[in-house]
Amino acid sequence: MKPIIAANWKMNKTVGESVLFAERLSNEFAKMEDKDIIIAPPFTALHSVAAVLKGSALHLSAQNMHWDEKGAYTGEISAGMLIDVGCEYVIIGHSERRNLFAEKDEYINQKIKTAFKMNLKPIFCIGETLNERNLEKTFEILRRQIKEGLNNILSDDIKRIVFAYEPVWAIGTGKTATAQQAEEAHRYIRKAIIDLFGKDAGANNIRIIYGGSVNQENIAGLMDQPDINGALVGGASLNFESFAKIINF
Ligand code: PEP
């Protein structure tokens, strides 16, 4: 499976800073065919970054979208707008959206359905909090997030989802799950996809990427694990040199 290295810049970088980064990325990795490199700049920079990435092997993602196709939702962005601006992917269900903006599994489910309708590929984030892990509820939480987040999604569409396992306690904290902890969760996610959606969903070929304080030091150990097919990188993706090292793990 082709590994994915994705950058989530969150609410960082102006248009100018995003374009400069995208130009450097394009100079170095425009022809990279053996890994899928995805960048998710803030909304304001998507249009300019899309122009820089055009014609390269690099992919553009948004960080969020609204579930409805259009309407009176002040301040929101639709899937159609993301397609219009040149996005191929969209991050859905990031833990910061779930926790800070009260996004429930049911909204996430609607967003995923709308993303498919508009031909955007979801990067679907799931993961447990520290409290849930300490209570040994990790697998239960992951199963619920998958079951409810992907309710009524066809197995043909399940195949096109990139799953991102992001333990909440490891995001932006400098605490990474050990490669073994991450592998254990990824293996469980693959099994849950088979249990919930059957063999037709092709779980063995679905890419499940890890996110949570990934950096240039820990990426190789994570990528050595059989069920880890890439990384979603927050903090360490903001600096070009460190992101380039992660890409070249
Ligand atoms: C993220 O927010 O998706 C993330 C993984 O952040 P960080 O790498 O900073 O933990």
Side-chain angles (χ1 to χ4, degrees):
M1 259 183 281
K2 204 180 198 187
I4 291 178
I5 303 292
N8 174 15
W9 289 347
K10 311 191 185 188
M11 198 172 71
N12 293 291
K13 294 195 188 293
T14 61
V15 174
E17 289 163 349
S18 302
V19 165
L20 208 63
F21 192 114
E23 283 170 352
R24 290 185 72 186
L25 203 63
S26 187
N27 287 340
E28 221 159 296
F29 300 108
K31 294 203 168 71
M32 179 152 263
E33 298 290 350
D34 57 340
K35 289 173 195 149
D36 280 330
I37 303 171
I38 304 173
I39 52 173
F43 287 131
T44 48
L46 286 173
H47 188 257
S48 317
V49 169
V52 177
L53 302 189
K54 203 168 184 203
S56 78
L58 306 169
H59 308 271
L60 186 64
S61 176
Q63 299 175 16
N64 182 34
M65 54 171 263
H66 195 269
W67 59 79
D68 218 344
E69 285 175 48
K70 62 164 94 163
Y73 300 103
T74 302
E76 290 292 331
I77 304 273
S78 73
M81 292 169 184
L82 297 181
I83 287 285
D84 182 47
V85 85
C87 289
E88 184 183 343
Y89 290 88
V90 58
I91 298 173
I92 295 181
H94 192 281
S95 64
E96 286 154 14
R97 303 284 330 163
R98 290 178 189 260
N99 299 331
L100 303 173
F101 302 96
E103 279 193 12
K104 305 223 172 347
D105 291 320
E106 111 189 54
Y107 303 152
I108 290 164
N109 180 244
Q110 290 182 50
K111 288 184 183 200
I112 292 179
K113 286 180 180 156
T114 307
F116 278 130
K117 198 164 167 196
M118 303 308 288
N119 234 351
L120 275 170
K121 297 176 197 157
I123 300 175
F124 170 47
C125 300
I126 53 179
E128 80 288 2
T129 62
L130 185 57
N131 190 34
E132 289 162 345
R133 173 163 283 264
N134 289 340
L135 292 169
E136 299 189 355
K137 286 187 164 177
T138 300
F139 291 168
E140 186 188 316
I141 297 296
L142 292 174
R143 192 181 175 89
R144 190 212 74 219
Q145 290 173 336
I146 297 170
K147 187 167 184 233
E148 294 183 13
L150 303 183
N151 186 30
N152 281 324
I153 306 253
L154 303 173
S155 43
D156 262 1
D157 283 337
I158 301 281
K159 288 180 189 151
R160 294 160 55 210
I161 297 174
V162 174
F163 287 71
Y165 170 59
E166 298 210 303
V168 180
W169 49 273
I171 296 180
T173 57
K175 274 191 215 156
T176 334
T178 63
Q180 290 68 29
Q181 282 172 321
E183 169 62 17
E184 189 187 34
H186 283 228
R187 203 178 317 124
Y188 176 79
I189 292 165
R190 226 179 272 292
K191 183 178 161 304
I193 298 169
I194 297 173
D195 285 355
L196 293 165
F197 304 101
K199 288 222 165 67
D200 288 352
N204 290 332
N205 294 319
I206 287 176
R207 289 184 291 182
I208 308 174
I209 64 178
Y210 170 78
S213 298
V214 172
N215 59 36
Q216 61 204 60
E217 269 87 45
N218 57 30
I219 181 74
L222 289 161
M223 293 303 297
D224 262 353
Q225 304 300 314
D227 287 290
I228 300 184
N229 313 115
L232 179 53
V233 190
S237 74
L238 293 172
N239 172 277
F240 182 78
E241 280 76 20
S242 79
F243 190 56
K245 283 188 183 139
I246 293 171
I247 294 171
N248 289 324
F249 67 86

